[in-house]
Each structure stands twice: as structure tokens, then as C-alpha cells.
Amino acid sequence: MIRGTNIKEKIIAVSRHLLGDEKTYDRLIDRGIEIRGFRKFYSEENASVSLPERKSLIYMADGKYMHGGPTDRIRAMVSAYDFALKHGLDFKINHSSPVNLENFLVPNKYDWTIDASVISYNSKQSKPLFLYREDFDNVTALERQLDEHRQFHLYSCVDTVQEDFSKLFSELFKPSKELATALEPYEEILKEPYISVSFRLQNLLGDYTEWKFQPLGNEKQKKELIDSALDAIKTIAKANDVKKILVTADSPLFLEQAKLLENVVTVNGKSIHIDFNSSQKISDYIKPFIEFLLISKSKKVYLYHNKKYNTYMSNFPKYAAKLGDIDFEIFEA
């Protein structure tokens, strides 16, 4: 897997040198659409839809392929909204996989909702667009994909807004009634200033299903990682004058250990990856949305990174910090 990835990156580097970024990325995008089979859903034989005169950009999370975790999806939606505003496009969100986004986030200042019946899959009316790499100019790449079609369906997990994230997020979203209700008890517990510490262990402890990630080889290694992470919480607590510490993690096993520490608050609920679970229970997916909004209201945000075990450098706490305009720091162990 790693060897193949390295070969691919070398080929891309040579292509960028010989052909330039635009031609290279356009070819990668076209190839990506082909591999993921997006075009097979579009045909002239499909029913046409009565479309408004104004062209529209629809962010798609419909289960046709992996869309990333909550952070990947949120930052891509915010970026797509920004692009649509700047290019005179109507903007909508079709987030139906595995459940509807409106169960957690609803429109705030801009109505991005769309009924499935007005999404066209007639190839004369609409086409799929795709973005997936951070190391190219995604704005111009998206511009080059626009054409005479009236409806564009964007599959993306990239960020093109950076510092405007908080403003645009707040224009798009506010908590649903269900999410607001779920937030209340934690907001009551965390009334006074608190910090947050996030851990992304990706099944290293063998308790979190995500793609092909494998657990550590033995119990000694697992214990070493848990002890290091718990020590990080204690060290960070000593460095900050707060009474509460919000701890978020994708590992149920680690969270059980962390909440035994003094002043630690954790969020109840399942730890599952939204891309690797087909459950239709809303309660199975609400935990990261609660955590994201709670992190955004903390005094300071930390992400734990273990160099020995190469824990994942998650964007989840970083974007929550962006939302709240809060200092973000990586704690190296």
C-alpha cells in the first residue's frame, strides 16, 4: 500500500514538472471520477427536471463513495458554499448518507436544503464534479469543471476557505433541536472556562472500526499508548488554570480510562466512523457533533500526537478551534 502510494506520488511529481499543475490535476480529477463510477449515474435517458435559470452547486454526501468523517464533510460544505457565493451559483447540500445532515445541523442564515426530487441525473442537465487533493489549486480546478450544465454535483473533502471558516459555517449552520437538546447537559457541566484535549487513535487499541487500520501487536504496546495519553491529559491540566477538561477520542477503551481522571468530562455515545457504518440510528452519529461544538467553546484546544505510534493528526479539533477562534496546539508525546 505505502509502496504503491509512493510510486503514484512520484509519477504525479513528474507530471507536474512536465505538464504543469492544471493539466495534471485535471487528469487526476477525471481519473478519480472514473474510478469512483460517478458518471454511471448520469444519462440522457434519465428523467429531466424543471430547473431554475440560475445554475446551482450541490454538495453531495449520498453514499456513492466515501465522503470522509464529519470534519472532512463540514469543511468541504463550507468551501463549496464560499465558491458558490463567489461564482453566482445557488448552493444546496444533499447529505443523505448514512443519515440526513438536518438531524444535527439545520440552516441558519442561508437555506441550503434541497428535495431529492429536484436533483437531476439527466446528463444534459447535470454533471458530477470532484476535488480531493490539498496540494493543488482547488478553486481554479473547480472553475475549470464548470460548463453549460445547470446543476453541478460536487464530491469533495477539501478546504478552500481557511480563515473564513467560522463566518461561513455560522451562515450555513445552527444546531438542530435534537443536537441543541443533547448539548444542554454538557454545557451545564462546562459552565466555567474549560480546555479540550482530543485523541485520534484509529483502532490502535483494537476498539474502533475504520477502513483497514490494524491494532497494535500486543497488550504491552496498548498499555504504553494509553498511559502516555493519560499522562498528556495530566500535563496539560497542570499547564492550564481551568476546572474542567473536555476529552474527546475515537476509542471507547481510552475514554473509559480518561473519564476516571479528576475534572475530566467526556461525551456519551457511540464512537463510530460515519463512512464505515450503515446504521440508520440518529443517536449513533450525534456524538462527534456534540464534541465539535463543545470544543469550539473551550478556552484552548489540544490535539495529542504520539510520535512512536504515529497517532493520526486529526483535523477535527483544529476546525472546532477555527469555529470558535481559539488557540490550537499539538501536544507531542
Side-chain angles (χ1 to χ4, degrees), residues 191-211:
K191 286 188 296 186
E192 299 178 85
Y194 61 96
I195 59 169
S196 69
V197 189
S198 294
F199 299 82
R200 186 75 160 88
L201 305 182
Q202 283 189 318
N203 199 36
L204 287 173
L205 300 180
D207 60 345
Y208 183 78
T209 302
E210 182 181 354
W211 200 49

Side-chain angles (χ1 to χ4, degrees), residues 1 7 19 33 45 53 56 65 75 101 142 162 173 175 213 253 305 330:
M1 176 74 69
I7 292 173
L19 302 177
I33 290 175
E45 306 302 318
E53 190 66 24
S56 61
Y65 198 74
R75 68 179 188 167
L101 180 66
L142 193 52
Q162 300 298 326
F173 303 122
F213 295 110
L253 179 61
H305 178 239
I330 296 172

Side-chain angles (χ1 to χ4, degrees), residues 73-86:
R73 298 176 188 220
I74 288 171
R75 68 179 188 167
M77 287 185 273
V78 169
S79 295
Y81 170 60
D82 181 57
F83 182 90
L85 289 178
K86 292 176 179 176

Side-chain angles (χ1 to χ4, degrees), residues 139-280:
V139 172
T140 59
L142 193 52
E143 289 172 343
R144 292 193 298 274
Q145 295 182 71
L146 300 179
D147 54 23
E148 73 281 356
H149 289 86
R150 306 214 63 77
Q151 201 174 85
F152 302 101
H153 302 170
L154 177 62
Y155 294 85
S156 171
C157 61
V158 302
D159 173 17
T160 61
V161 297
Q162 300 298 326
E163 299 308 317
D164 288 332
F165 176 79
S166 178
K167 171 181 174 293
L168 296 167
F169 179 99
S170 297
E171 289 178 10
L172 283 177
F173 303 122
K174 64 181 179 181
S176 66
K177 290 182 179 179
E178 294 82 357
L179 180 56
T181 299
L183 278 164
E184 286 177 358
Y186 298 103
E187 291 175 332
E188 178 65 23
I189 295 171
L190 298 167
K191 286 188 296 186
E192 299 178 85
Y194 61 96
I195 59 169
S196 69
V197 189
S198 294
F199 299 82
R200 186 75 160 88
L201 305 182
Q202 283 189 318
N203 199 36
L204 287 173
L205 300 180
D207 60 345
Y208 183 78
T209 302
E210 182 181 354
W211 200 49
K212 301 177 182 179
F213 295 110
Q214 297 298 311
L216 293 172
N218 57 65
E219 294 305 310
K220 181 180 178 181
Q221 290 176 317
K222 292 178 183 178
K223 185 178 185 306
E224 182 181 35
L225 177 56
I226 291 173
D227 288 345
S228 170
L230 294 174
D231 285 343
I233 296 173
K234 297 171 187 176
T235 300
I236 291 170
K238 289 179 181 179
N240 290 269
D241 184 22
V242 293
K243 293 185 178 180
K244 297 291 183 181
I245 304 167
L246 173 67
V247 173
T248 69
D250 54 358
S251 166
L253 179 61
F254 173 69
L255 286 173
E256 285 299 314
Q257 295 292 315
K259 69 183 183 182
L260 298 176
L261 297 179
E262 186 179 7
N263 298 326
V264 164
V265 176
T266 63
V267 174
N268 296 327
K270 284 194 174 183
S271 294
I272 59 175
H273 194 289
I274 194 170
D275 247 349
F276 300 95
N277 196 287
S278 58
S279 169
Q280 296 298 299

Side-chain angles (χ1 to χ4, degrees), residues 279-329:
S279 169
Q280 296 298 299
K281 289 185 178 180
I282 306 306
S283 58
D284 286 351
Y285 301 101
I286 199 168
K287 178 174 176 278
F289 291 93
I290 297 172
E291 292 174 332
F292 190 78
L293 294 182
L294 289 177
I295 292 171
S296 75
K297 298 176 182 179
S298 59
K299 185 178 179 181
K300 186 170 182 177
V301 179
Y302 291 87
L303 170 66
Y304 168 86
H305 178 239
N306 187 296
K307 290 178 283 187
K308 179 178 179 178
Y309 294 116
N310 193 28
T311 56
Y312 187 60
M313 299 291 280
S314 173
N315 280 316
F316 182 75
K318 182 173 77 171
Y319 277 83
K322 283 178 178 284
L323 177 59
D325 192 24
I326 308 159
D327 287 342
F328 171 75
E329 183 177 324

Side-chain angles (χ1 to χ4, degrees), residues 88-107:
L89 303 170
D90 191 21
F91 176 67
K92 298 295 180 182
I93 295 173
N94 177 42
H95 188 301
S96 57
S97 178
V99 293
N100 290 328
L101 180 66
E102 293 94 314
N103 289 300
F104 314 109
L105 299 173
V106 295

